[in-house]
Each structure stands twice: as C-alpha cells, then as structure tokens.
Amino acid sequence: GRKESVCVINCKTVLVIGGGGYVGSRLVPALLREGFAVEVYDLFWYGRFLPDHPNLRVVEGDVRDEILLQASVGRADTIIHLACISNDPSFELDPALGKSINYESFIPLIAMVNESNVERFIYASSSSVYGIKEGIVDESRSLEPLTEYSRFKMLCEQALAEQASPDLCWTVIRPATVCGYSPRQRLDVIVNIFVTQAMQRGVLTVFGGDQLRPNIHIDDMVDAYLAVLFSPADTVSHKTYNVGD
C-alpha cells in the first residue's frame, strides 16, 4: 500500500519556481513532509541541494524559457515564486540580466497562470519595497523602493494585482532579510555575515551602527509559506503580508 506520507493532500502539486535557492532548499523538504507533490523549476547556478523523494520532480530551466516554464505551470495547482537575482549587488553586476529575470519574465508567467488550472499563487516580494521609513512599517505604508532590485519587486506586485485573473487566489509576501542555515547557504545576508565573522575572526564589522534592519529566521520563513498554503483561500486571497521580526 501507499505510504501515508505520500501525496496525502489530494496529491496537490506545488510548483516552486526558484526552489533550488537559499529558501527553496529548506521550503521544498518541508512541503514534501507535509504531503504535497512538489515540482522545482530552477537553473541551479549554485548547485542542487534537494532531497531524493518520490513526490519531487525537478526541472532545470530558466524562468525566461517560456515553453519549458509553461509545461511546469500546466502541472501545478499552486505556485510559489521565489526566483530572482536576489540582492542589490548581484543585480547591479548586470542590470539588464536582473531586469529580464526579476521582472520581464514575470509578465508572461502571469498570462500562463491565467490560462492554467493554478488555484493559488504566492509571490516572494521584499520588505525593501518600502524604502526608508520611520516608525512601524505595516502593509499600508507607501512603497518607495530605492534600488532597481526593489523597484522591480514592486512592479511585479502591481502586475500581479492588475493582470491576474480575478478568480486566482494570489498572495504577496514581503520578507525581511532571511538568516539561518540552509543546504544552499548564503553568506551575503547580515546575520549570516556576522556568524561567519565571529567563527572565522572573532570580530564583527559594523558599518555605521545606528541603522535598523528587519530579519527573519529561515525556519519562520518556511512556516510563513506553509501558513499561507494551509489558510482558507478567502482568507489570504489578494492579500499582502510583511513577514519579519
């Protein structure tokens, strides 16, 4: 007989675009443990750190390859979109490449989703869309991105709200800076930088010292995606949430 852990949620398929990255390589195993069938679509620039599992399909592909991506979208009930050039310095190395991946590929993806049987779509935006603010920053605050990376995150949010089918349950997540261990580790985010400095040199380097930066542990980031997935559609549909600490 089939093991209880295999496809226990009516074999719902979650497509994680960018599922081979820092957050994805922690999120995908969590989705599999919860009984989802998972498809990961990723270029795996930094290696493949995903488990072998009977409910996991892996597609090595570029988000700009519309034909290949459309095939994955056609198999999905839910999409979690994580793929991007994922920080300002990386984006600035090749702004045209960053724009093509972070924004231009997103517009045809919305059209694919509108023509598919996808029921839910979760987009990983960024808390950086707010720019610099004083006081508590909740979801009602104005968006004033300071970099091209942040601006394209904002534009993707707007495109999703304006172009997605009214029947699609879409949710935007604006994460703080993620920290903590992942098989596909990142050492360019602030808490992980501090840990690396502490372990290697015993000294932390701080530029300035008066600034504040929101962070979130990767375990909590994964829990946030699961919370959205397990929430009733009418609770999270067409909603935007800050996720941080």
Side-chain angles (χ1 to χ4, degrees):
R2 185 184 295 272
K3 290 183 179 179
E4 193 173 68
S5 62
V6 178
C7 276
V8 296
I9 309 177
N10 299 319
C11 285
K12 291 286 187 181
T13 298
V14 180
L15 170 62
V16 186
I17 304 174
Y22 177 51
V23 172
S25 59
R26 288 290 303 275
L27 175 60
V28 168
L31 292 169
L32 292 168
R33 286 194 299 270
E34 293 292 342
F36 291 101
V38 181
E39 180 162 338
V40 171
Y41 187 100
D42 200 299
L43 267 178
F44 299 101
W45 277 350
Y46 303 99
R48 187 177 300 190
F49 300 95
L50 299 174
D52 293 325
H53 195 283
N55 285 347
L56 176 62
R57 179 199 295 259
V58 176
V59 177
E60 186 170 334
D62 191 312
V63 290
R64 297 167 296 175
D65 185 338
E66 295 182 25
I67 294 175
L68 190 61
L69 181 57
Q70 188 163 26
S72 290
V73 169
R75 291 188 287 265
D77 302 291
T78 294
I79 294 176
I80 301 176
H81 190 287
L82 306 177
C84 68
I85 304 296
S86 59
N87 58 28
D88 292 322
S90 296
F91 190 97
E92 290 162 4
L93 288 172
D94 190 337
L97 175 69
K99 181 180 182 182
S100 69
I101 291 175
N102 289 18
Y103 177 63
E104 291 174 344
S105 68
F106 192 74
I107 305 306
L109 173 61
I110 297 174
M112 293 178 206
V113 170
N114 286 343
E115 296 168 1
S116 72
N117 293 317
V118 172
E119 299 167 0
R120 295 197 185 201
F121 187 97
I122 302 172
Y123 175 60
S125 182
S126 168
S127 60
S128 66
V129 296
Y130 294 110
I132 297 174
K133 294 283 192 292
E134 295 291 334
I136 299 296
V137 181
D138 64 22
E139 294 87 349
S140 68
R141 300 292 294 271
S142 62
L143 304 188
E144 300 171 281
L146 300 175
T147 66
E148 288 293 272
Y149 166 80
S150 303
R151 186 170 75 89
F152 288 128
K153 287 291 189 183
M154 178 188 73
L155 291 177
C156 285
E157 288 189 25
Q158 293 173 351
L160 182 60
E162 294 167 2
Q163 299 177 28
S165 167
D167 298 328
L168 178 68
C169 173
W170 59 258
T171 307
V172 171
I173 298 293
R174 293 174 180 160
T177 301
V178 184
C179 62
Y181 173 74
S182 169
R184 190 317 221 187
Q185 183 68 320
R186 280 181 62 179
L187 299 176
D188 62 311
V189 287
I190 186 62
V191 174
N192 294 357
I193 290 172
F194 282 162
V195 171
T196 303
Q197 290 177 343
M199 294 176 68
Q200 291 184 345
R201 302 204 309 263
V203 176
L204 307 185
T205 302
V206 178
F207 297 95
D210 295 328
Q211 65 268 42
L212 298 174
R213 188 178 187 99
N215 290 277
I216 182 171
H217 193 275
I218 196 165
D219 289 348
D220 296 323
M221 190 70 254
V222 169
D223 285 347
Y225 286 115
L226 293 177
V228 172
L229 282 178
F230 284 113
S231 294
D234 58 0
T235 303
V236 296
S237 183
H238 300 181
K239 298 290 181 61
T240 299
Y241 299 107
N242 293 341
V243 180
D245 196 9

